[in-house]
Amino acid sequence: MTSTDVRTRPARRTVSPLPAARRAHRDRPGERRGLNLTLGASRLSRTLALAALAVMALIWLLPMAWAVLTAFKSEQDASDPLHWIWPRGGFTLHGFRTVIERGDLPLWMLNSLFIAAAVTVVTVTVSAMAGYAFSRTLFRGRRWLFTVVVASILVPPQLLIVPWFQQMLTLNLVDTYAAVILPQTVAPVMVFILKKHFDTIPRELEEAARIDGAGHARVFWSVMMPLSRPMLAAVSIFVFIGAWNNFMWPFVSTSDPALMTLPVGITAVKDAYGVNYAQTMASSVLAALPLVLVFVFFQRHIVKSVATTGLGGQ
């Protein structure tokens, strides 16, 4: 047989294993997989879901809008239910000027800032060390102790007010910053969150540091903490907001007006005729501004921490 009798076979076309229906669904414009999984595949389901979310967001924003509108009214217009949107006397900054000129609000804000910052630093540090100990060390009773930590999450903080107050009386710490700060640093839920986060960090990184002669302290501060910055930032934000908004324990643990925090001080904005609504709402708006700024500047750390946790630490 000569070479001229040999017929070359035509080249076989490579057929994609992806079915035609899936390819058509993938190439359809405007269809995204994440959006379909969240809101549905059809346009009607997405429209209904977005409309429901818009209505819920509007309901959530209405009290905030009412507080802001009331803050820019006079006391007379703030008590008028017939003109709750547009006051008869127009908007004014009288409520803001009054609460600032009295000198109470700056003191309350400084107290809240100091207490919230101290609670955040102590809580995050202690919770991170406890989470690392539960995640990376072995000691007798470790499982039972972690069970106690998880079970303590179910205990309402209101049940601990009396024991905490008795401890502060025993230690002679009532009417001090320590009395307000120390009980708030107990955060079992943060220990649990950080422990689960440390579990996702590859052990190869820890073993590489141990080969270089690092101990538990060096591994914790030089390896675990830098790798956990997004999670630590998210935990810090949540702890800071909780300490800033805490009312019950600062109200119980102190009676000195110089130690009042913002939530406690705002409730004291009263006169002989009752509550000053405009001044109360002005104080509330000014008190919420630091939290809004904190969230605006650090929200990417919250999103990053959630995304990192969802991908198993990668």
Side-chain angles (χ1 to χ4, degrees):
M1 182 180 298
T2 61
S3 60
T4 57
D5 296 332
V6 179
R7 296 180 179 180
T8 60
R9 295 181 179 181
R12 181 180 298 177
R13 294 183 61 185
T14 303
V15 180
S16 173
L18 189 66
R22 291 184 60 186
R23 290 203 307 271
H25 177 73
R26 180 191 64 183
D27 299 334
R28 189 181 303 170
E31 295 286 338
R32 291 183 298 178
R33 184 178 180 183
L35 188 61
N36 294 340
L37 291 176
T38 306
L39 303 179
S42 65
R43 179 174 297 179
L44 178 61
S45 62
R46 293 199 305 273
T47 303
L48 293 177
L50 291 175
L53 292 175
V55 171
M56 289 187 289
L58 181 61
I59 294 174
W60 181 78
L61 289 174
L62 277 177
M64 300 180 61
W66 176 81
V68 173
L69 289 175
T70 306
F72 287 94
K73 297 178 182 179
S74 63
E75 293 295 341
Q76 183 179 0
D77 291 333
S79 304
D80 186 3
L82 300 179
H83 301 84
W84 70 275
I85 296 180
W86 190 269
R88 289 179 298 178
F91 294 104
T92 178
L93 297 176
H94 177 73
F96 292 95
R97 287 197 300 264
T98 302
V99 296
I100 293 176
E101 290 173 356
R102 285 189 315 186
D104 298 335
L105 188 67
L107 177 62
W108 298 340
M109 293 189 70
L110 287 176
N111 289 336
S112 294
L113 181 61
F114 172 73
I115 292 172
V119 169
T120 302
V121 172
V122 177
T123 301
V124 173
T125 303
V126 174
S127 300
M129 290 190 293
Y132 173 79
F134 284 123
S135 176
R136 288 297 199 262
T137 62
L138 297 175
F139 54 90
R140 182 175 299 179
R142 168 176 169 270
R143 182 173 300 177
W144 289 102
L145 185 58
F146 185 69
T147 303
V148 172
V149 172
V150 175
S152 61
I153 299 176
L154 304 177
V155 179
Q158 291 78 8
L159 295 179
L160 302 176
I161 290 179
V162 174
W164 283 345
F165 190 76
Q166 290 293 337
Q167 290 180 358
M168 296 302 106
L169 284 177
T170 304
L171 298 175
N172 295 323
L173 295 178
V174 177
D175 282 338
T176 63
Y177 285 112
V180 184
I181 294 172
L182 292 179
Q184 297 188 66
T185 59
V186 181
V189 63
M190 299 306 171
V191 176
F192 177 79
I193 292 174
L194 290 173
K195 189 266 182 186
K196 291 301 181 181
H197 170 70
F198 289 139
D199 289 342
T200 62
I201 297 179
R203 292 185 177 270
E204 289 78 6
L205 300 175
E206 180 182 358
E207 294 173 356
R210 294 192 179 280
I211 292 176
D212 294 336
H216 281 299
R218 185 63 180 273
V219 170
F220 174 74
W221 290 108
S222 300
V223 179
M224 293 296 183
M225 296 297 278
L227 293 175
S228 306
R229 287 176 182 173
M231 180 60 69
L232 293 175
V235 169
S236 300
I237 293 172
F238 293 137
V239 174
F240 183 88
I241 292 176
W244 183 278
N245 292 328
N246 193 358
F247 167 78
M248 183 61 68
W249 177 245
F251 177 75
V252 172
S253 60
T254 60
S255 58
D256 187 358
L259 298 178
M260 279 187 178
T261 59
L262 268 173
V264 178
I266 290 175
T267 60
V269 182
K270 298 180 180 179
D271 60 5
Y273 300 97
V275 180
N276 295 322
Y277 293 104
Q279 297 180 28
T280 302
M281 292 300 104
S283 301
S284 301
V285 171
L286 292 176
L289 281 179
L291 298 183
V292 174
L293 295 177
V294 167
F295 184 80
V296 168
F297 286 108
F298 296 99
Q299 62 177 334
R300 63 186 184 91
H301 293 288
I302 300 178
V303 176
K304 187 176 181 180
S305 66
V306 174
T308 303
T309 304
L311 296 175
Q314 300 179 358

